[in-house]
Amino acid sequence: ADTLVIMNILGRMKNIFYSLIIAVFPIISCYAEQPCSLKKGKYVSVEVKDILCLAQNSGKDIALFYTFADWCSPCKKSVPEIVRLSQRNDIALFFIIVDRESDLYSIDRAINFLNRNVEQPRIYIISDSLYSPQNRIKKQSIIQINGKKEREKYENFLTYITPPEFKVTTDIGKSILINGEGNVILITSYEDKGKDDKGQNSVYQKIEECIKKERDK
């Protein structure tokens, strides 16, 4: 009888143990999938530290972050090639929207465009925390296309993330390459654009050359 009691107790303890494992596992998985602790909401806003964390945890040795806005026609035209480039070189691809977080119309249009043209795009928004103190006073100001407020936030973001060897330019449609260690290895600009002898945009060639150089180290 005592043996049966002990076996019943052990059986119950085993069931409790398995129940705890089942209950805790989803929580562990959630944290494993989101190691960067990004702020959740309708949209996910990011600062420079978040960008670096995403690159380090992308599952690829190199991540490409493409700055994007729906009102940027060249950006929209470049999306298919950026997607092909990321697939061809087996790198992670993220899209970073530059509009202010309260501009829901522009953000929704940008997200809808990317969802229509990219399979399961990973989309983030530059956090408004990157406004300068002077600009925070102007929260109610009307922002036009290429307006000062977006540009100032974007310029602050680029200033923080750009290594000394690269020039800070506030053109939209930049490709920011970050390796698995969280080091920025390339930031493109309008100065990289042009046509080579094969009729291909030289900015894409520069990106691929950088990827090859990083992998050849």
Side-chain angles (χ1 to χ4, degrees):
D2 290 341
T3 303
L4 289 175
V5 171
I6 294 172
M7 290 179 65
N8 286 333
I9 292 172
L10 291 174
R12 290 176 184 176
M13 290 179 65
K14 181 179 179 181
N15 290 336
I16 291 171
F17 175 76
Y18 283 135
S19 297
L20 287 172
I21 291 295
I22 292 171
V24 172
F25 182 75
I27 298 174
I28 295 173
S29 299
C30 179
Y31 279 102
E33 292 170 0
Q34 302 172 3
C36 300
S37 301
L38 302 178
K39 296 177 182 178
K40 297 300 176 183
K42 182 177 181 181
Y43 311 114
V44 182
S45 62
V46 290
E47 300 179 17
V48 172
K49 63 180 178 61
D50 302 315
I51 297 289
L52 301 180
C53 183
L54 287 168
Q56 290 173 299
N57 293 277
S58 69
K60 302 290 185 180
D61 60 336
I62 297 174
L64 189 158
F65 293 83
Y66 188 71
T67 63
F68 183 83
D70 179 73
W71 41 261
C72 173
S73 295
C75 301
K76 296 167 80 170
K77 291 179 181 177
S78 298
V79 164
E81 183 56 38
I82 288 294
V83 171
R84 286 192 291 269
L85 186 150
S86 67
Q87 294 171 341
R88 187 165 61 244
N89 292 277
D90 192 27
I91 60 176
L93 176 61
F94 300 85
F95 293 92
I96 309 298
I97 297 175
V98 304
D99 294 292
R100 68 192 188 283
E101 292 181 68
S102 60
D103 189 354
L104 304 183
Y105 176 77
S106 295
I107 290 174
D108 282 340
R109 284 179 60 89
I111 291 175
N112 289 337
F113 174 86
L114 292 171
N115 281 328
R116 288 195 308 270
N117 292 277
V118 183
E119 184 177 355
Q120 296 182 328
R122 287 179 279 190
I123 307 170
Y124 299 91
I125 301 165
I126 297 176
S127 172
D128 284 359
S129 64
L130 287 163
Y131 284 138
S132 69
Q134 295 85 354
N135 235 25
R136 291 195 190 103
I137 299 170
K138 305 175 183 177
K139 285 184 178 179
Q140 303 304 318
S141 61
I142 297 174
I143 309 303
Q144 298 178 348
I145 290 177
N146 296 345
K148 180 179 178 182
K149 197 168 183 180
E150 272 104 347
R151 286 293 183 176
E152 188 161 354
K153 177 177 77 166
Y154 189 43
E155 184 173 8
N156 288 340
F157 167 76
L158 293 172
T159 299
Y160 291 135
I161 203 170
T162 304
E165 62 267 28
F166 297 105
K167 181 179 178 180
V168 176
T169 60
T170 57
D171 47 306
I172 314 296
K174 282 181 175 296
S175 292
I176 302 172
L177 283 184
I178 305 176
N179 65 18
E181 287 73 49
N183 299 316
V184 178
I185 57 176
L186 178 68
I187 296 185
T188 63
S189 76
Y190 68 91
E191 296 177 351
D192 298 317
K193 295 179 180 178
K195 299 291 183 179
D196 61 19
D197 293 337
K198 296 180 181 179
Q200 297 173 330
N201 200 314
S202 61
V203 68
Y204 304 134
Q205 181 180 348
K206 185 171 185 177
I207 293 170
E208 295 195 287
E209 288 174 351
C210 180
I211 293 170
K212 184 178 185 304
K213 182 178 179 181
E214 178 69 16
R215 288 173 171 167
D216 286 344
K217 284 183 178 179

